[in-house]
Amino acid sequence: MDKKNEVILTIGHLKKSYGDTEVLKDIDLEIKSGEVVVIIGPSGCGKSTLLRCLNGLEKTDEGRILLHGEPVDPKSAGIFRMRERIGMVFQSYELFPHKTILKNITLAPLKVQKRKKEEAEAEALALLERIGLSAHRDKYPSQLSGGQKQRVAIARALIMHPELLLLDEITAALDPEMVREVLELVLSLAKEGRTMLIVTHEMAFAEAVADRVIFMDGGSIIEEGTAEQIFHYPKTERLQRFLESLKFD
Ligand code: ADP
Ligand code: MG
């Protein structure tokens, strides 16, 4: 896939509150086809809320989210189709515990996209091959390690052929020895030119994968730039302080 430089997602003046707490304050952001954008920022600054809004899992208070010019609106009839086009992977995998690995992957293409069983299974098997889990197709999620489960969750998102993939701290619940296998899979997706918006605390990974890094704090985008600019030449005091605080983790 080549980078077409075409804007596929536009976020304009996005605002969101929970009660009196303003969690997202006037967020503006554009994502281009083939771009990998990483969001960093302290816990509680609104990263997950932003991703959930982009996937139509949260309703926004003000502003707009457009995918190829079409609104992402949880109240609209088109929201289910939008969720197919914008895939999301969570920290907690969210696999169906009572379904096999293969069925976890084929469920949505069969039920939601009404694809043919042979075709969906063939693609699921190819994805299992790619993530090195072919031998586990008939096992249940509880029989897999965290790293394996997260790779299945990624495969389950990929089979829907999303135009944009949202990854929310997908390695945060993993033991350190499993983080690498998941991040390597994400790096390979980036090399294929997939468009991704990634929230992570893995700063070395962020630097390796990102075309652009966004630093959020207190519900706002404080600074954005290349990985080199953000990690090595931070401009704002808030970003400098945040990067400094990571050294003591
Ligand atoms: P991050 O992902 O950056 O850690 P979140 O988006 O999860 O931050 O949360 C941003 C803020 O919104 C936090 O103060 C959090 O407590 C609050 N928040 C998140 N979800 C809810 C909710 N469902 N109800 C009330 N407050 C929430
Ligand atoms: Mg979060």
Side-chain angles (χ1 to χ4, degrees):
M1 267 185 264
D2 56 0
K3 305 210 170 188
K4 293 188 277 294
N5 237 29
E6 163 208 9
V7 172
I8 65 166
L9 186 84
T10 308
I11 304 168
H13 297 298
L14 185 66
K15 292 185 189 178
K16 164 92 189 159
S17 296
Y18 291 113
D20 293 336
T21 316
E22 215 182 357
V23 176
L24 297 176
K25 301 172 187 167
D26 208 16
I27 300 280
D28 284 303
L29 181 63
E30 281 188 342
I31 297 179
K32 291 178 183 155
S33 177
E35 210 181 10
V36 177
V37 178
V38 170
I39 304 181
I40 60 170
S43 179
C45 75
K47 305 179 296 296
S48 294
T49 304
L50 176 61
L51 261 53
R52 286 204 308 271
C53 287
L54 299 185
N55 195 34
L57 294 172
E58 292 280 354
K59 92 177 169 36
T60 61
D61 298 329
E62 274 180 57
R64 63 190 193 295
I65 302 166
L66 302 171
L67 180 69
H68 284 298
E70 287 175 56
V72 177
D73 175 2
K75 297 183 294 294
S76 78
I79 190 60
F80 297 103
R81 178 74 193 108
M82 270 300 170
R83 289 209 188 107
E84 293 172 47
R85 297 171 63 189
I86 304 178
M88 186 152 172
V89 182
F90 304 87
Q91 176 177 327
S92 51
Y93 333 120
E94 309 287 338
L95 297 178
F96 303 108
H98 55 288
K99 293 204 184 295
T100 65
I101 298 309
L102 182 63
K103 290 232 168 78
N104 262 279
I105 300 175
T106 55
L107 189 71
L110 293 178
K111 296 274 186 234
V112 180
Q113 293 180 327
K114 311 283 181 209
R115 281 157 64 179
K116 289 213 167 64
K117 192 166 182 223
E118 305 76 63
E119 182 269 325
E121 279 196 354
E123 185 171 359
L125 293 174
L127 283 164
L128 281 171
E129 179 82 37
R130 172 173 185 175
I131 63 174
L133 294 177
S134 298
H136 302 278
R137 50 174 278 182
D138 297 321
K139 290 187 179 170
Y140 290 86
S142 63
Q143 295 172 285
L144 267 52
S145 73
Q148 291 172 329
K149 279 189 272 205
Q150 198 55 291
R151 277 143 59 204
V152 172
I154 293 170
R156 188 177 58 169
L158 292 176
I159 200 167
M160 304 298 276
H161 307 153
E163 290 157 64
L164 170 66
L165 201 50
L166 309 173
L167 307 180
D168 191 4
E169 299 215 38
I170 62 168
T171 60
L174 299 179
D175 291 333
E177 69 270 20
M178 290 165 191
V179 169
R180 189 193 174 94
E181 64 195 42
V182 172
L183 295 185
E184 275 175 1
L185 175 58
V186 178
L187 270 172
S188 76
L189 298 176
K191 288 209 186 88
E192 285 172 13
R194 286 186 186 270
T195 315
M196 294 188 280
L197 182 57
I198 303 174
V199 172
T200 185
H201 277 121
E202 298 283 339
M203 296 300 153
F205 166 69
E207 200 167 345
V209 80
D211 293 311
R212 189 149 55 100
V213 180
I214 286 172
F215 170 61
M216 275 181 74
D217 196 9
S220 301
I221 294 175
I222 305 297
E223 207 172 317
E224 72 174 274
T226 63
E228 189 180 15
Q229 285 165 346
I230 292 294
F231 291 114
H232 300 289
Y233 304 99
K235 290 200 267 278
T236 58
E237 205 205 320
R238 279 162 97 173
L239 176 55
Q240 287 160 10
R241 258 191 283 128
F242 173 70
L243 294 174
E244 205 55 40
S245 73
L246 297 174
K247 294 183 182 161
F248 302 106
D249 266 4

